[in-house]
Amino acid sequence: MLDRIKASLPSLAPAEQRVAHLVLSDPRRFAQLPVSELAARAEVSKPTVIRFCRSMGYDGLSDFKLKLVGTVSEGVPFIHRSVDADDKTGDVLVKVIDNTVAAFLKYRNDASTHSIEKAADALLAAYRKGRRIEFFGVGNSGVVAQDAQHKFFRLGVHTVAHSDGHMQVMSASLLGPGDCVVVISNSGRTRDLMDATDIARKHGATTIVITASGSPLASAGHIHLAADHPEGYDRYSPMVSRLMHLLIIDVLATCLALRIGGAKLHPLLSEMKNNLRSKRYT
């Protein structure tokens, strides 16, 4: 993105060139400032700032800033580098957080919105028909399954989460057409999850799998939400896949909430919040 801005400098109007130089001089700072301050620093009008962003092929300043943040974050030092024995606390902080941010930005850029829409529609169909919605996961993915149950329950959507392999197989045996199961796994090679997914699919339930591309589980479900972040010891990333799975669950829950509609959800969420607040110590 920054190279494209440099290459475009000769074709820009003088005022837009000043905005371009402001971006190139400090991309991080540019992404944080409001349009009024950006215009003042570049000594141009606010519409000129917007015009520059659009000349670069973006809808406006917000869209430009979003892509700029991604560009800068993917290029910061320490990305995809392991924590070294002589690292200071500040180095560790930067490496761990920047690796995580880079993984999220890569997911954002690679994610299939079509698959997410199909998954949200399947969950909505099961919810409206009063059918079962279940979450399966093992280990760290089991924690994500429990978190998913909590998030969906807040929307008034009754779900069940299983992290025990035997329970998953037994529960999958009870599913049928119209039911929906979300299977979560980083490797996509866990035998119990594979067995439970196969059983659920044979019984006619819609299977949504959140796992790595190319894994056995990825091809076992009806809908695949790719979460590609290999865990290894060459760099510090033991929890990133779990955070990515939590993020995908957040996206699904938000999409489902929008489909259910605010008129139904707002009173429910408000009452739930008030009831929880009344239980707290003052």
Side-chain angles (χ1 to χ4, degrees):
M1 180 179 181
L2 297 177
D3 288 342
R4 189 166 73 249
I5 294 173
K6 291 177 184 176
S8 302
L9 279 172
S11 62
L12 296 174
E16 292 180 7
Q17 287 183 5
R18 290 200 289 274
V19 180
H21 285 302
L22 187 64
V23 177
L24 296 172
S25 65
D26 193 347
R28 285 180 178 274
R29 187 66 175 159
F30 188 95
Q32 296 170 355
L33 295 176
V35 65
S36 56
E37 188 167 346
L38 292 173
R41 287 180 176 234
E43 298 180 348
V44 299
S45 66
K46 289 189 283 188
T48 299
V49 177
I50 308 300
R51 212 162 40 244
F52 162 77
C53 295
R54 289 177 177 163
S55 69
M56 291 295 104
Y58 299 96
D59 293 336
L61 181 60
S62 296
D63 187 39
F64 179 83
K65 281 184 174 182
L66 184 65
K67 299 300 190 298
L68 182 62
V69 168
T71 297
V72 173
S73 295
E74 288 171 354
V76 296
F78 308 128
I79 290 294
H80 302 323
R81 282 177 52 188
S82 62
V83 174
D84 300 318
D86 58 348
D87 278 342
K88 296 181 174 60
T89 302
D91 298 325
V92 173
L93 183 70
V94 170
K95 289 182 179 182
V96 172
I97 293 177
D98 282 356
N99 269 304
T100 304
V101 170
F104 282 3
L105 289 169
K106 185 178 186 305
Y107 171 74
R108 183 201 66 189
N109 295 334
D110 296 344
S112 167
T113 54
H114 177 65
S115 296
I116 293 172
E117 287 176 352
K118 285 179 63 178
D121 288 341
L123 291 165
L124 179 66
Y127 163 72
R128 285 182 170 167
K129 294 176 182 176
R131 303 296 301 183
R132 296 172 62 180
I133 298 176
E134 304 198 355
F135 295 92
F136 294 170
V138 175
N140 282 335
S141 299
V143 177
V144 178
Q146 296 290 338
D147 179 79
Q149 182 187 25
H150 175 261
K151 285 186 169 66
F152 278 68
F153 187 79
R154 289 197 315 170
L155 304 178
V157 179
H158 298 283
T159 65
V160 177
H162 294 299
S163 56
D164 177 81
H166 289 84
M167 287 296 296
Q168 290 164 358
V169 169
M170 288 190 291
S171 184
S173 303
L174 300 175
L175 297 175
D179 294 329
C180 190
V181 59
V182 181
V183 185
I184 308 159
S185 172
N186 184 51
S187 68
R189 300 179 184 279
T190 304
R191 182 60 182 268
D192 287 341
L193 290 176
M194 285 293 301
D195 289 344
T197 303
D198 288 338
I199 293 170
R201 184 163 185 166
K202 288 176 182 176
H203 282 74
T206 300
T207 53
I208 302 168
V209 294
I210 301 175
T211 190
S213 301
S215 67
L217 184 61
S219 57
H222 292 102
I223 304 168
H224 175 217
L225 302 182
D228 298 314
H229 185 77
E231 302 287 17
Y233 296 100
D234 57 327
R235 58 190 170 120
Y236 185 83
S237 58
M239 299 304 292
V240 175
S241 63
R242 173 177 163 186
L243 292 173
M244 188 179 293
H245 294 161
L246 289 168
L247 181 146
I248 295 171
I249 292 297
D250 275 354
V251 171
L252 288 177
T254 304
C255 288
L256 183 60
L258 291 172
R259 283 162 168 75
I260 293 173
K264 181 173 183 178
L265 282 180
H266 287 167
L268 174 67
L269 293 173
S270 178
E271 181 183 1
M272 194 180 296
K273 187 72 175 178
N274 290 334
N275 289 338
L276 289 172
R277 189 181 289 115
S278 67
K279 298 296 182 183
R280 295 175 182 169
Y281 289 105
T282 56

